Amino acid sequence: MAAAKDGWDFACPGWEARLRSGSSLVPELPLDEKQAAKAVAVFNRLRLPDVKGQPPLAEAAGDWFRDIVAALFGSVDADHVRHVAELFALVGKKNSKTTGGAAIMLTALILEEDFNQEYHLYGPTQPIAELAFYQAVGMIRADPEGYLQQRYHVKDHVKTIVDLVTNSQLKVKTFDMKVATGTIPKGVLLDEVHIMSSYSFAARVIGQIRGGMITRTDSFLAMITTQSDEPPAGVFRSELQLARAVRDGRVTGKAARVLPVLYEFPEAMQIDPERPWADPANWPMVVPNLGLSINMERLEAEFAQAEAKGEDELRRWASQHLNVEIGLALHSDRWIGADYWEDASEDGLTLDALMERSDVAVVGIDGGGLDDLLGVAVIGRDRVTRKWLLWCHAWAQPDVLERRKEIAARLRDFADDGELTICAGPTEDIEGVVSLLVKLKGAGLLPEKDAIGLDPYGVAALIDEAAAQGIEDEQMMGIAQGWRLNSAVLGTERKLKDGTLRHAAQRLMAWCVGNAKAEQRGNNVVITKQAAGKAKIDPLVAVFNAVMLMSRNPEGGGTGVADWLESLRR
């Protein structure tokens, strides 16, 4: 990919090699070297307030953070345009992330020459934002010459630092729409963006912050965060994806206005079943402050403790300290099928591919009230290998987004992926399901009897619509729920493990599988919506309903597959 004509290209070719060698992740940029050096000098003189001896950052901070400081403050040109307008830094815990962020903001306040400028500190919670504030306060009070104490007045009660000469201020702000609206800050620090993504309003708040800065050509927005301890979702996922795309050179031009500094292993290392990320020899790649705020001995001890506690704790630890992205949330009372889910995926397994390869297909349906998902699972049987092929979809009424705000951003992500439909009308979910059934029947894949399995409660509207569209009563079958699904639960586990069930690698289903909690009741394993709590598992229950039918070894209901394939070719 060609570099930007003006030299402000934030792509970082060879970033993996840079990680291995410990080189900077900030690419070569046409910085104002004098301004960059001035900012780094200010940053270096600040002192760590909560470490014995209060060492200056010249000794206590890593070069990786000085590179960020140089880029942010050395990218302002003669026309007062800051070319590094945004920063997205992904770095694990114990790397002085919050302290470094506080030092950036205090450096900005110290360098500020204009009057009445504002710099804001945001966190997902007030205490997290205040951590950065009090680090900045501590740096002021740790100045051995006393200059900073004389010039900067700390208002503890309103969490504000005021420059007594310019009246410019650094203040904590609440992460809230009402607070973010109407402000025009010159610089903003967003700490722990991955936690913010759990808020349904997060994208709107960040949009307001960006909107307030749009008239300021010299403003900057710095996001500094660790990886999420759940599969990335919402605003965190979208910002991380953009930063990766810019780093890799896949997004260029005006959309590539963010400087990505991502201390994460290459994807191949993260998904490798041999887990090279678990080898301490590779940890220096993603722990830039190693030997300063954190040492290898402590990391290895914490790793050993996490490993001893089990797979779920190990993954959580790896996400927070090594930025290993979690693709499937695992917990101690998880459904055992979750352990084999990721390995059973098959890229490119669309619904049409399933239909083309299968000699028969059955459908499982599950859904509750308006604040639940309506999940559909299609299982086809490969006519050559006899393996089961699984594809799923879900529908959500807008009520879910309002009543389950904590998962609303995640559901919108699934909708963007095409794996979930957010209904525009009250019957769109019913119509969507029936349309799918009609398509499968038209292809001759549905058995003449017991082709569609569903929870018999609350499905009257769906049955009526299906009958109106030519689905026979004999093809619909009520599936008893609760412990009566035990055979499907256990059977699905075994087929995932032995590789005879392949699924479409859908993020929606990885989430649902991760939400599933197993309860032992006598000799039965029960997975219920009640145990899953606010998280959703409806599409997974639909899978179990479909498994109950496919386990009967059904035959297709006609010879329509050939006709359907021919219609595709035409």
Side-chain angles (χ1 to χ4, degrees), residues 234-256:
V235 69
F236 172 66
R237 176 175 178 252
S238 61
E239 297 292 346
L240 177 58
Q241 286 182 326
L242 175 60
R244 287 170 173 166
V246 172
R247 175 198 63 187
D248 298 342
R250 291 181 284 111
V251 170
T252 58
K254 293 182 179 179

Side-chain angles (χ1 to χ4, degrees), residues 1-12:
M1 190 76 66
K5 293 181 179 180
D6 59 5
W8 295 101
D9 180 10
F10 299 143
C12 189

Side-chain angles (χ1 to χ4, degrees), residues 183-228:
T183 60
I184 309 177
K186 190 169 185 178
V188 172
L189 174 70
L190 294 180
D191 197 6
E192 300 293 20
V193 181
H194 76 280
I195 300 177
M196 294 176 180
S197 66
S198 64
Y199 304 150
S200 61
F201 54 83
R204 288 187 294 150
V205 174
I206 294 177
Q208 285 292 337
I209 293 171
R210 283 191 169 112
M213 303 170 75
I214 198 169
T215 59
R216 302 291 307 262
T217 60
D218 57 351
S219 64
F220 69 87
L221 171 62
M223 302 185 193
I224 304 180
T225 183
T226 59
Q227 180 57 265
S228 173

